[in-house]
Amino acid sequence: MFGPGPDVQEIWNKFLEINPSIKIRGNWEDFLINSFSKKTKLSNSIELIEKYIIGHLDNPLETCKIVEQWPLHFEKEVNGVRIGLSHNLPNDNQDDSLSVRAESIDLIRLFEKQRQNLDVAIFAHIHHPTMRYIDLNCLSNNIVNYDYTNADERLILNIGSIGLPFDKPTHLYKEKRAEYLLLEVGEHGDINPQFRRIAYDCTLEFEKAFELGLPFKEQYIKSFKS
């Protein structure tokens, strides 16, 4: 919500109106908090963006106090299915080890410590809608004659990105639509992940970026096109 696009207070107002029951802090929320408090040194580019964000919030102090209370991860059970929610790793919003190029040995970190019993791990951060399995008892692709009766499979889902998708599913097309995930959990523990995308007029967003003086607006616009 707090970077890198031009809308700030409008998005925050809508978020407060929706008032979701679970709120998880992401890396851009961390950037906002650190920039406002000056506790952590950020890169010059991030500082410029967050200066814009802070300047377009009606009450940045109040907003930071609210966001700072959000956890990095949350575990929830629905009809007996144990689900873990996090922006990235449960205790690290900056790490890039969960990318679409990640190996199973990296993804196991979503199921460590208090999350060992999770059935499903859902995260964001990489801006790529993803569904893949991990076998906690087989983290290598080179096992010969694997005994599948010992398999301990868990499901991993990524929700994509509402504001800035990164996926380019074919050489002809880069995704521009707003992405989200709807996960239905049946009463018997069956699950139905639905990846959804909604088209919107990006040109209005680009016009607002110039009108409001968004930092790095050329790069922001280019990220939708190349």
Side-chain angles (χ1 to χ4, degrees):
M1 290 186 293
F2 302 112
D7 291 308
V8 182
Q9 188 63 44
E10 299 91 334
I11 292 177
W12 182 240
N13 289 343
K14 178 58 69 174
F15 178 85
L16 294 176
E17 177 186 332
I18 296 171
N19 191 26
S21 58
I22 300 172
K23 308 171 184 70
I24 295 173
R25 200 167 76 245
N27 56 320
W28 282 100
E29 284 74 44
D30 284 344
F31 293 152
L32 171 64
I33 294 166
N34 289 328
S35 178
F36 188 78
S37 66
K38 306 297 183 184
K39 291 179 180 178
T40 303
K41 178 65 176 176
L42 301 173
S43 69
N44 291 337
S45 59
I46 296 296
E47 280 286 7
L48 279 173
I49 294 173
E50 291 308 322
K51 182 179 179 181
Y52 171 91
I53 299 295
I54 292 169
H56 286 79
L57 283 170
D58 292 343
N59 192 331
L61 175 60
E62 179 185 355
T63 302
C64 286
K65 284 182 177 179
I66 294 172
V67 172
E68 199 167 13
Q69 299 305 309
W70 299 349
L72 295 184
H73 64 95
F74 190 90
E75 286 72 52
K76 181 179 181 65
E77 188 169 311
V78 180
N79 292 343
V81 177
R82 298 160 300 195
I83 302 170
L85 305 166
S86 59
H87 175 75
N88 186 44
L89 289 170
N91 295 299
D92 188 345
N93 269 334
Q94 309 301 324
D95 189 283
D96 192 38
S97 61
L98 303 183
S99 75
V100 292
R101 289 155 289 280
E103 302 286 345
S104 294
I105 195 68
D106 300 312
L107 296 170
I108 196 176
R109 298 168 68 188
L110 289 166
F111 298 92
E112 291 179 335
K113 298 180 180 178
Q114 72 268 36
R115 301 173 122 237
Q116 291 179 6
N117 293 324
L118 292 181
D119 300 298
V120 183
I122 303 176
F123 73 108
H125 194 57
I126 65 171
H127 297 227
H128 284 78
T130 307
M131 183 175 82
R132 59 189 290 186
Y133 285 89
I134 181 175
D135 184 345
L136 299 187
N137 287 334
C138 182
L139 299 176
S140 171
N141 295 327
N142 300 317
I143 300 298
V144 179
N145 298 323
Y146 178 61
D147 183 357
Y148 286 95
T149 61
N150 293 326
D152 185 4
E153 294 183 357
R154 313 296 175 91
L155 180 62
I156 296 174
L157 298 168
N158 188 281
I159 62 176
S161 173
I162 290 177
L164 191 60
F166 286 171
D167 44 316
K168 189 173 182 178
T170 75
H171 75 284
L172 298 173
Y173 178 76
K174 177 175 173 56
E175 186 58 76
K176 302 176 183 65
R177 295 170 292 178
E179 303 169 332
Y180 71 98
L181 169 69
L182 174 65
L183 179 63
E184 295 180 341
V185 182
E187 61 181 51
H188 302 295
D190 51 304
I191 61 173
N192 179 29
Q194 301 174 43
F195 293 98
R196 297 190 172 185
R197 295 169 173 84
I198 299 176
Y200 66 99
D201 189 351
C202 292
T203 59
L204 297 177
E205 180 85 352
F206 303 156
E207 289 172 4
K208 186 173 290 187
F210 276 94
E211 176 186 337
L212 297 177
L214 179 72
F216 310 110
K217 48 188 171 292
E218 292 84 2
Q219 293 94 316
Y220 176 69
I221 294 170
K222 184 179 179 182
S223 64
F224 286 86
K225 299 178 179 179
S226 60

